[in-house]
Amino acid sequence: MINRVSIVFCTVSLALTAGVLVAGFNLAAMPRQSIASAKTPVPSESLPDIDMPGFGKVSVTDMMGYYIENPPIAATAGGGATTSSAKRFGGC
């Protein structure tokens, strides 16, 4: 049979651990206002220019246009670019 001291020790330990976790979460969590503003989309024109080393300042709209015109190429395990395989219609 478990003695009373063991039960008290386990209960106090669990309560203390829960208290530390709640306090730590409250200190580490982002403010609700920051979370709400992060979920709200904004137009790319309202974002500031990004300073890219070697290129200077580039607008987000120009970066998006470049990405759309020149999509990234997936790399192979050896580090080279993959060749695009011919897509075939699978049919029924």
Side-chain angles (χ1 to χ4, degrees):
M1 182 167 187
I2 300 176
N3 60 7
R4 185 176 211 167
V5 175
S6 296
I7 293 175
V8 170
F9 175 76
C10 289
T11 305
V12 170
S13 296
L14 288 174
L16 215 92
T17 301
V20 168
L21 289 174
V22 167
F25 180 79
N26 287 335
L27 291 173
M30 290 178 61
R32 291 186 188 272
Q33 184 180 9
S34 296
I35 294 171
S37 64
K39 290 182 178 181
T40 305
V42 295
S44 62
E45 295 83 18
S46 67
L47 297 173
D49 292 346
I50 298 172
D51 189 16
M52 297 183 66
F55 292 103
K57 292 198 176 240
V58 180
S59 72
V60 175
T61 306
D62 290 341
M63 287 178 55
M64 288 173 44
Y66 181 81
Y67 180 82
I68 291 170
E69 291 172 4
N70 306 300
I73 299 172
T76 60
T82 60
T83 58
S84 61
S85 59
K87 293 184 179 182
R88 298 181 184 145
F89 177 69
C92 297

